[in-house]
Amino acid sequence: MPGKYRRHFDPEWETSDPEFLRPKLEERLRAQLVYTYENSPLYRRKFDEAGVDPSGIGLDDLGRLPFTVKDEVRRTQEKTPPLGEHACVGWEEISRIHASSGTTGKPTLVGATICDRQMWNELVARSLWAQGVRPDSRAWVALSLGWWIAGLQFLEGLQYLGASVLPGGNTEPARSFSVVQETGLDFVISTPSFVQYLAGFARENHIDLKSLGVKNMGLGGEPGAGNPHTRRQIEDTWGCKVYDCMGTADVCTVVWSECEEQDGMHFMGQGFVLPEIIDPSTGSPIEPVKGATGELVYTAIWRECTPLIRYRMNDIIEVVGDAPCSCGRTSYRIRCLGRADDMLIVRGVNVYPSAVADVVRFFRPRVTGHIQIQADGPGPSVEPPVRIRVEYGEEKDLNRLKKEIEGRIRRELIFASDVELVEPGTLAPKGNMKTKLVVR
Amino acid sequence: MPGKYRRHFDPEWETSDPEFLRPKLEERLRAQLVYTYENSPLYRRKFDEAGVDPSGIGLDDLGRLPFTVKDEVRRTQEKTPPLGEHACVGWEEISRIHASSGTTGKPTLVGATICDRQMWNELVARSLWAQGVRPDSRAWVALSLGWWIAGLQFLEGLQYLGASVLPGGNTEPARSFSVVQETGLDFVISTPSFVQYLAGFARENHIDLKSLGVKNMGLGGEPGAGNPHTRRQIEDTWGCKVYDCMGTADVCTVVWSECEEQDGMHFMGQGFVLPEIIDPSTGSPIEPVKGATGELVYTAIWRECTPLIRYRMNDIIEVVGDAPCSCGRTSYRIRCLGRADDMLIVRGVNVYPSAVADVVRFFRPRVTGHIQIQADGPGPSVEPPVRIRVEYGEEKDLNRLKKEIEGRIRRELIFASDVELVEPGTLAPKGNMKTKLVVR
């Protein structure tokens, strides 16, 4: 990557030998645990109950700390509004509060101090720099701006990086296209669903997406960009490179991002967050070596307002690379396989719905790419044949298509399926940000 | 105003004797004019054509500089997209671009460098501090977040001031109420129309506005908060104090704001912008003494990206106070009377539609408060009786009401009117941000 700018936003944290970073991480971990113990009633209780002295914990002792789960955060916020008993600061120190949409009605809240926002800015800058954004880039923020952390934080992180921000948001496509046709554009940050919606809007309004000049596009919030078929389709439509990235409101809007190699998402949170991979059933740690799969767990080590310790993400990931990347970054790389509570076990074998979707999407345009798995009970175990609804696309012989999809699933995923072909449009997401791959 | 914080955000600029500030303003004006001449093709041409040497201009020579009008900005952006020939920096220096909605289709754009955003932050912080916001305040930003400058800039200015920002935006009232009922709330920044909409939403959803704890509310974007009847109604509904404020995308989202005295909007842009008042017909300057009315003109003196020199605002204002205010601020105070192109001349007397609305609103609840003046031609001159459509409210005897309104208009505004009473709902703004008071 030649040019007038350096290759990495923060070379020290991004490209150092992990052994070199170790003492710093250990120091930050200990400081965070002591701070959290002293300021958060929730963690004081949890650590005391687990018999853990926070000042005595090192990187190798993470497993001695209790997990925190999403539901715990929800309950502590209901009991002690607004931020819950893991909050460590008062109103005077809080700079911004974000709110998740909350599937059960009441939103869960995340607070940030000025220092927390600074950490968010650093993380956004590292990730988007890896996606090709530079101080002379023009970046369209095509995300909901408001309660959802992603929009505002990508906007502020882009400004922090030095880019020119075009704050389009996701509510005014006509005005946004009108502006970016005048300004030209290097970069878009959005979700796969929304850029696909924008592409449809552009088609209907005779806007030539390729004339906008987009070179790179960062997509997160849902798995789409990690799927090779979806990615290729978006890249072809917009004439740009697509980068998958991933984070969470509770920690930071982006913690993982692809680099120019587009070969899995690098961990980008060095110095701010410790990631772990655990077995979702037993909770025991899994080494982040190539091919390993498991549930993501985060521990804050640089957080003031609402730190979370060993926070279970409910995201199942696969490590796709652990050797140094040719981009120069030293962190391992992952892709997201789906949500832990979407995971199925078919005769003892873990099956991730996104893997099923990947296989089905191979058949495009004979299928639209939308699928839905119908599990026969609440648990992860399902009896084969697994019932899968698939939207057909440009296909005349539905019987042949059904047989071919079932055959490929058997070959690639080693389980028997019963494919039901349904009309195009039946399963496409309807206005939701995220697609539901499994119904029970 | 007792308490742990000081009274003014920036005591030096806000409370100094104007004579003390004069040499600094003069220095900034000269630096801005030289910078703009050197970097903007538009201003180089305009100054050359006017025979002005920018390095020789002092505060008393402002009148030697040519005006800039809105249409000129629009045309220069069409000719030299995206920002036009008054832009002084390139992409590398641009931090954010905002876009007006543009009544004629194509949006006009405003750019800011990091230093320009810093100036915006200072101005927001001064104004909202005057409205009672402090670092321990919880502030709901109930404004469109995106292309419109106000939302994002109030949000960033509030963070800069140190307040806790609740980034509600204007698209998710249900989620916003759900969050602020958990967090409690000290301050709302919004538009009169939107808080009236929110009040209706709260009523329908059985939300008790007064239980939220709002103490102060800043309203801008349209005149409403400057109208005593509208203000009182909003204050009664929300149980808080309302502050009028005013700015413009081209200069800063807020340049004028009321203080705790709520007696007209103080000029808040000291050190960043020079305001002038001119006669809208002749362009000659008018002294800012109590009772003076005229059109606002701004000259940037601290702007990098898109500076505007002697920019005619098309806003007609009245100076309501020029003596030092008991809040300690030394700048003069204004209220907005309406747009210059809405101004009417009835037998040689200037009539501002907002003044007519003020008189009519005295009759609430017998009227709803919505009016529309029907001018009989394109020019400002109209022949009496002036036709005014008025929405009646809780009134049985429409004939008597008509006579009473006409009588009061004659007494207070010294012209003859012909009031047509129309059904409630006929004239209320329909989804628009701003109300159209005059039709021709």
Side-chain angles (χ1 to χ4, degrees):
Chain A
M1 197 187 284
K4 60 182 164 180
Y5 300 108
R6 63 176 184 244
R7 262 184 106 181
H8 310 95
F9 187 76
D10 186 333
E12 185 178 349
W13 286 109
E14 294 178 64
T15 64
S16 288
D17 181 329
E19 281 310 305
F20 171 80
L21 301 177
R22 212 180 145 79
K24 298 189 195 189
L25 296 178
E26 193 128 274
E27 190 189 324
R28 289 192 175 190
L29 171 64
R30 198 165 291 126
Q32 177 81 63
L33 293 176
V34 170
Y35 166 87
T36 309
Y37 184 81
E38 282 171 2
N39 292 285
S40 151
L42 177 74
Y43 280 109
R44 175 176 291 259
R45 200 164 55 238
K46 281 174 76 83
F47 290 176
D48 283 348
E49 276 168 18
V52 172
D53 169 9
S55 66
I57 296 288
L59 287 172
D60 292 332
D61 312 311
L62 273 182
R64 289 176 50 209
L65 298 169
F67 289 118
T68 307
V69 295
K70 186 92 187 168
D71 197 47
E72 220 173 338
V73 172
R74 190 182 307 279
R75 276 185 282 116
T76 186
Q77 292 194 340
E78 274 168 17
K79 193 179 135 209
T80 316
L83 292 176
E85 286 193 318
H86 59 307
C88 296
V89 303
W91 284 115
E92 210 154 326
E93 311 300 329
I94 295 174
S95 182
R96 199 160 71 221
I97 285 187
H98 282 283
S100 77
S101 53
T103 40
T104 60
K106 218 171 187 180
T108 56
L109 307 184
V110 171
T113 64
I114 289 182
C115 291
D116 293 338
R117 284 180 39 232
Q118 169 71 9
M119 174 268 281
W120 287 348
N121 283 342
E122 285 280 339
L123 257 165
V124 169
R126 283 184 199 168
S127 294
L128 299 196
W129 194 280
Q131 298 177 14
V133 184
R134 295 294 179 274
D136 56 0
S137 300
R138 294 152 296 174
W140 180 7
V141 180
L143 290 164
S144 161
L145 299 167
W147 291 117
W148 192 36
I149 190 177
L152 286 175
Q153 197 46 53
F154 274 115
L155 184 149
E156 292 203 332
L158 280 162
Q159 289 177 169
Y160 174 79
L161 182 157
S164 307
V165 173
L166 304 162
N170 71 344
T171 54
E172 300 183 290
R175 176 135 65 126
S176 295
F177 274 117
S178 169
V179 176
V180 301
Q181 283 181 302
E182 291 299 315
T183 58
L185 195 57
D186 301 297
F187 181 74
V188 181
I189 180 83
S190 192
T191 64
S193 302
F194 193 64
V195 293
Q196 287 171 307
Y197 164 78
L198 285 176
F201 183 94
R203 208 163 37 241
E204 282 163 26
N205 291 277
H206 313 290
I207 294 162
D208 175 14
L209 287 180
K210 287 180 182 158
S211 74
L212 300 177
V214 183
K215 295 180 201 74
N216 302 296
M217 178 182 282
L219 298 178
E222 52 181 3
N227 174 286
H229 306 291
T230 305
R231 178 201 298 260
R232 194 169 320 124
Q233 192 216 349
I234 295 172
E235 291 192 331
D236 289 349
T237 313
W238 288 78
C240 70
K241 231 170 145 163
V242 163
Y243 302 78
D244 196 10
C245 56
M246 182 168 110
T248 170
D250 300 291
V251 176
C252 175
T253 189
V254 63
V255 182
W256 304 82
S257 172
E258 288 191 333
C259 63
E260 68 264 27
E261 302 298 326
Q262 292 175 298
D263 183 25
M265 297 180 281
H266 279 284
F267 177 65
M268 289 291 185
Q270 295 95 335
F272 301 131
V273 189
L274 292 178
E276 288 176 272
I277 306 171
I278 60 162
D279 182 306
S281 324
T282 64
S284 44
I286 290 170
E287 275 300 298
V289 293
K290 188 170 173 168
T293 62
E295 182 182 352
L296 261 185
V297 172
Y298 292 128
T299 295
I301 55 171
W302 196 250
R303 187 66 176 260
E304 286 184 339
C305 187
T306 43
L308 291 167
I309 309 298
R310 296 202 89 206
Y311 185 56
R312 289 182 70 152
M313 283 307 302
N314 200 19
D315 280 328
I316 301 292
I317 56 95
E318 177 190 352
V319 179
V320 298
D322 55 8
C325 178
S326 51
C327 76
R329 290 179 184 79
T330 45
S331 64
Y332 64 93
R333 304 187 297 288
I334 63 167
R335 67 184 190 113
C336 184
L337 299 174
R339 292 168 50 85
D341 51 13
D342 271 356
M343 190 188 78
L344 304 173
I345 300 174
V346 186
R347 298 232 168 120
V349 177
N350 295 352
V351 172
Y352 299 102
S354 60
V356 180
D358 275 14
V359 171
V360 172
R361 283 175 188 142
F362 173 83
F363 290 89
R364 283 204 288 211
R366 296 165 68 197
V367 302
T368 66
H370 296 295
I371 71 153
Q372 194 167 66
I373 298 172
Q374 300 196 282
D376 42 13
S381 289
V382 288
E383 275 303 300
V386 181
R387 288 184 299 147
I388 305 168
R389 303 175 77 202
V390 171
E391 272 186 22
Y392 60 83
E394 304 166 8
E395 171 72 34
K396 296 227 172 67
D397 188 343
L398 294 185
N399 247 329
R400 194 181 67 174
L401 179 62
K402 172 181 156 77
K403 291 232 160 355
E404 283 183 49
I405 296 173
E406 287 172 358
R408 199 172 173 97
I409 286 173
R410 182 184 294 275
R411 275 202 312 282
E412 295 205 5
L413 304 175
I414 334 280
F415 69 84
S417 60
D418 175 12
V419 166
E420 179 195 353
L421 289 165
V422 298
E423 264 184 56
T426 317
L427 305 174
K430 309 220 166 29
N432 290 322
M433 279 289 304
K434 305 191 184 186
T435 310
K436 201 162 174 57
L437 286 180
V438 178
V439 291
R440 294 175 199 273
Chain B
M1 197 187 283
K4 59 183 164 178
Y5 300 108
R6 62 175 184 245
R7 260 183 106 180
H8 309 96
F9 186 75
D10 186 334
E12 185 178 350
W13 285 108
E14 294 178 64
T15 64
S16 289
D17 181 331
E19 281 310 304
F20 170 79
L21 300 177
R22 214 180 143 79
K24 299 189 193 190
L25 296 177
E26 194 129 273
E27 190 189 323
R28 288 192 175 191
L29 170 65
R30 199 166 290 125
Q32 177 81 64
L33 294 176
V34 171
Y35 166 86
T36 309
Y37 184 81
E38 282 171 1
N39 292 285
S40 151
L42 177 74
Y43 280 109
R44 176 176 290 263
R45 201 162 58 236
K46 280 174 76 82
F47 290 177
D48 283 349
E49 277 169 16
V52 172
D53 169 11
S55 66
I57 296 289
L59 287 172
D60 292 331
D61 313 313
L62 273 181
R64 290 175 52 207
L65 298 168
F67 289 118
T68 307
V69 297
K70 186 91 188 171
D71 198 47
E72 220 173 338
V73 172
R74 191 182 307 280
R75 277 185 281 116
T76 186
Q77 292 194 339
E78 275 168 14
K79 193 180 135 208
T80 316
L83 292 177
E85 286 192 319
H86 59 305
C88 295
V89 304
W91 284 114
E92 209 154 326
E93 312 301 329
I94 295 173
S95 181
R96 200 160 71 221
I97 285 186
H98 282 283
S100 77
S101 53
T103 41
T104 61
K106 217 170 187 179
T108 56
L109 307 184
V110 171
T113 64
I114 289 181
C115 291
D116 293 338
R117 283 181 39 232
Q118 169 70 9
M119 176 267 283
W120 286 348
N121 283 342
E122 284 279 340
L123 257 165
V124 169
R126 283 185 200 168
S127 294
L128 299 196
W129 194 279
Q131 298 176 14
V133 184
R134 295 292 178 275
D136 56 0
S137 299
R138 294 152 296 173
W140 180 7
V141 180
L143 290 164
S144 161
L145 299 167
W147 291 116
W148 191 36
I149 189 177
L152 286 175
Q153 197 46 53
F154 274 115
L155 184 149
E156 293 202 334
L158 280 163
Q159 288 177 170
Y160 174 79
L161 181 156
S164 307
V165 173
L166 305 161
N170 71 344
T171 54
E172 299 182 291
R175 177 136 63 128
S176 295
F177 273 118
S178 169
V179 176
V180 300
Q181 283 182 302
E182 291 299 316
T183 59
L185 194 57
D186 301 297
F187 181 74
V188 180
I189 181 83
S190 191
T191 65
S193 301
F194 193 64
V195 292
Q196 286 171 307
Y197 164 79
L198 285 176
F201 183 94
R203 208 163 36 239
E204 281 163 25
N205 292 277
H206 312 290
I207 294 161
D208 175 14
L209 287 181
K210 287 181 182 158
S211 73
L212 300 176
V214 182
K215 294 180 201 73
N216 301 295
M217 178 181 283
L219 299 178
E222 51 179 3
N227 174 286
H229 305 292
T230 306
R231 178 202 297 259
R232 195 168 321 124
Q233 192 216 350
I234 295 172
E235 291 192 329
D236 289 348
T237 313
W238 288 78
C240 70
K241 232 170 143 163
V242 163
Y243 302 78
D244 196 11
C245 57
M246 181 169 112
T248 170
D250 300 290
V251 176
C252 174
T253 190
V254 64
V255 182
W256 304 83
S257 171
E258 288 192 334
C259 63
E260 68 265 26
E261 302 299 326
Q262 292 176 296
D263 183 25
M265 297 180 281
H266 279 283
F267 177 65
M268 290 290 186
Q270 295 95 334
F272 301 131
V273 190
L274 293 178
E276 289 175 89
I277 306 170
I278 60 161
D279 182 307
S281 325
T282 65
S284 42
I286 289 171
E287 276 300 298
V289 292
K290 187 168 175 170
T293 63
E295 182 181 352
L296 262 185
V297 172
Y298 292 128
T299 295
I301 56 171
W302 196 251
R303 188 66 177 260
E304 286 184 339
C305 187
T306 43
L308 291 166
I309 309 298
R310 295 202 90 205
Y311 185 55
R312 290 182 69 152
M313 284 306 302
N314 199 19
D315 281 328
I316 301 291
I317 56 96
E318 177 189 352
V319 178
V320 298
D322 56 8
C325 179
S326 51
C327 76
R329 291 178 183 79
T330 44
S331 64
Y332 64 94
R333 304 186 299 285
I334 62 167
R335 67 185 191 112
C336 185
L337 299 175
R339 293 166 50 84
D341 50 13
D342 271 357
M343 190 189 76
L344 304 172
I345 300 175
V346 187
R347 299 234 166 120
V349 176
N350 295 352
V351 172
Y352 299 102
S354 59
V356 180
D358 275 13
V359 170
V360 172
R361 282 174 190 143
F362 172 83
F363 289 89
R364 284 204 286 213
R366 297 165 67 198
V367 301
T368 64
H370 296 296
I371 70 152
Q372 194 168 66
I373 298 172
Q374 300 196 282
D376 42 15
S381 288
V382 288
E383 276 302 299
V386 180
R387 287 185 299 147
I388 306 167
R389 303 175 77 201
V390 171
E391 272 186 22
Y392 60 84
E394 304 166 8
E395 171 71 34
K396 296 227 171 71
D397 188 343
L398 295 186
N399 247 328
R400 194 180 68 175
L401 180 61
K402 173 181 155 77
K403 291 231 158 358
E404 283 184 47
I405 295 173
E406 287 171 357
R408 200 173 173 95
I409 287 173
R410 182 185 294 273
R411 276 202 311 282
E412 296 205 3
L413 303 176
I414 335 280
F415 69 83
S417 61
D418 175 11
V419 167
E420 179 196 353
L421 289 165
V422 299
E423 262 185 57
T426 318
L427 305 175
K430 307 219 165 33
N432 290 322
M433 279 288 304
K434 304 189 186 186
T435 309
K436 201 164 175 54
L437 286 181
V438 178
V439 292
R440 292 174 200 275

